[in-house]
Amino acid sequence: MQWPHKDLLDISQLSPEEIRHVFEVAARFDEVNTRSVKKVPVLKGKSVVLFFAEPSTRTKMSFDVAGKRLSADTFSLAKSGSSLQKGESLKDTALTLQAMHPDCIVIRHTSSGAARFLAERLSCSVINAGDGWHAHPTQALLDGFSLHRKWPAGFTGKTVLILGDVAHSRVARSDILMLTMLGARVRLCGPRTLLPAGVGTWPVEVFSDVKKACRDVDAVICLRLQLERQEAGLLPDLREYAMTYGLNETHLDQASPDVLIMHPGPMNRGVEIASGLADAGNSLVLDQVSSGVAVRMALLYLHAGRSRELTLQE
Ligand code: CP
């Protein structure tokens, strides 16, 4: 497939075929990650800027690892220590980075729309690594890739529950788009104050009782309680939230016997997920991290190396 997109800003810009193509390319790079020498020269001479104006461990590290395994040069800019702290605007920061001729800028920012703002002004590719509450498309694609490896026959007939702080979650928004596009049914569950105002119009079933929401589900994606994005007063008591909406063994009594447990990380163990479930045999939490490297290799390959053929043997 000739990749038609300069930028990756949200899942809504992709077709189901394009999502499956990302999975196919990621599967080939996943094999590279199992070799003793985990490096291929497909992006040799290409430059990737990692512009992270908000903290990150998984996304930033995996884009860095992904770029280096493809032989690209990766360069990092964080808010702390940059001229953003002296008041330089996002536009001037972006134009300054572009003047150094990168092939791709990966951006994480606290503001929804920051990635699009850059993509509309820069000629290089822009990949959204999370913008405000809006979207986290690379997380959705890696979640999808982890599930695709478990469900090779496809997502049709599968039910996925997204549990917790949906209102403040860019992961939930991108996961819902990806999962429904691939044919899965999606359920949401959380306290009313942590569900978005317009959730009634979303293509999901909404539950308030976790046990009922878990009935017959094939996977549960737990969401981090995003206290840093919340106004005061949305939760009366953290302990009560953990007991009522934190995923535990009892909630999963009537889930599918093969239910998969996921969390995008970072996790608040004992809050949105019981610690034992995070480490259980059916937990995909670390598999999601490994998938993240393969999927981000695929995305850098497709965006930073848009005119290259995929020749992993090189
Ligand atoms: N899931 C995720 O985006 O994690 P980081 O914030 O650590 O990148």
Side-chain angles (χ1 to χ4, degrees):
M1 176 189 281
Q2 190 70 31
W3 193 248
H5 306 287
K6 172 175 109 37
D7 310 298
L8 177 63
L9 305 179
D10 196 2
I11 293 292
S12 58
Q13 75 184 76
L14 302 179
S15 66
E17 292 70 34
E18 287 167 348
I19 294 175
R20 282 190 278 269
H21 182 63
V22 172
F23 295 168
E24 281 164 24
V25 179
R28 300 185 68 181
F29 287 127
D30 201 39
E31 187 275 320
V32 171
N33 290 329
T34 65
R35 297 180 189 172
S36 60
V37 178
K38 301 172 184 60
K39 203 167 176 101
V40 287
V42 293
L43 291 185
K44 198 166 180 187
K46 301 285 184 185
S47 306
V48 176
V49 172
L50 308 174
F51 175 18
F52 277 66
E54 190 188 89
S56 167
T57 297
R58 278 147 286 271
T59 312
K60 182 166 184 289
M61 278 298 296
S62 60
F63 266 115
D64 202 1
V65 170
K68 288 186 166 78
R69 290 201 175 153
L70 297 176
S71 305
D73 297 307
T74 62
F75 305 89
S76 292
L77 180 71
K79 183 170 184 182
S80 162
S82 79
S83 290
L84 284 164
Q85 286 197 313
K86 299 182 203 161
E88 186 166 42
S89 69
L90 179 61
K91 179 180 171 184
D92 282 330
T93 303
L95 292 175
T96 300
L97 293 174
Q98 166 141 296
M100 299 177 200
H101 305 295
D103 297 285
C104 182
I105 296 181
V106 178
I107 177 172
R108 168 168 291 189
H109 203 280
T110 47
S111 298
S112 298
R116 180 171 298 281
F117 181 85
L118 257 61
E120 286 171 354
R121 286 160 180 79
L122 304 185
S123 57
C124 69
S125 290
V126 174
I127 296 181
N128 183 3
D131 61 331
W133 304 359
H134 171 238
H136 197 347
T138 71
Q139 178 71 43
L141 290 169
L142 76 87
D143 289 347
F145 184 59
S146 285
L147 290 172
H148 164 75
R149 290 199 291 191
K150 294 286 178 187
W151 301 336
F155 288 53
T156 305
K158 301 291 187 187
T159 303
V160 180
L161 168 64
I162 301 178
L163 174 63
D165 184 1
V166 179
H168 302 94
S169 176
R170 56 194 174 207
V171 174
R173 287 169 173 78
S174 292
D175 272 345
I176 291 166
L177 286 170
M178 183 271 307
L179 289 164
T180 52
M181 220 183 267
L182 295 184
R185 281 188 295 267
V186 179
R187 296 178 183 171
L188 301 182
C189 182
R192 197 67 202 87
T193 51
L194 295 184
L195 293 174
V199 74
T201 63
W202 293 14
V204 296
E205 283 180 277
V206 180
F207 292 76
S208 54
D209 182 300
V210 183
K211 221 171 159 165
K212 285 184 187 152
C214 284
R215 193 170 294 156
D216 298 324
V217 288
D218 300 287
V220 182
I221 300 174
C222 301
L223 297 175
R224 184 168 70 86
L225 192 58
Q226 309 214 22
L227 293 170
E228 79 278 14
R229 291 195 191 140
Q230 290 182 12
E231 301 154 33
L234 292 183
L235 288 179
D237 183 80
L238 198 58
R239 200 165 150 268
E240 191 184 315
Y241 176 83
M243 282 166 55
T244 313
Y245 291 101
L247 188 70
N248 61 41
E249 291 282 3
T250 313
H251 290 147
L252 289 172
D253 273 354
Q254 292 176 59
S256 154
D258 302 319
V259 65
L260 301 167
I261 297 164
M262 304 174 75
H263 193 304
M267 290 186 286
N268 297 304
R269 286 176 184 257
V271 179
E272 66 264 3
I273 184 167
S275 190
L277 285 183
D279 301 326
N282 56 342
S283 164
L284 292 187
V285 171
L286 294 178
D287 184 87
Q288 288 172 269
V289 177
S290 304
S291 292
V293 176
V295 164
R296 286 164 179 143
M297 286 170 85
L299 295 171
L300 287 180
Y301 170 75
L302 293 169
H303 290 87
R306 273 179 289 160
S307 57
R308 302 287 308 266
E309 290 298 314
L310 182 59
T311 49
L312 300 184
Q313 299 90 324
E314 278 185 75

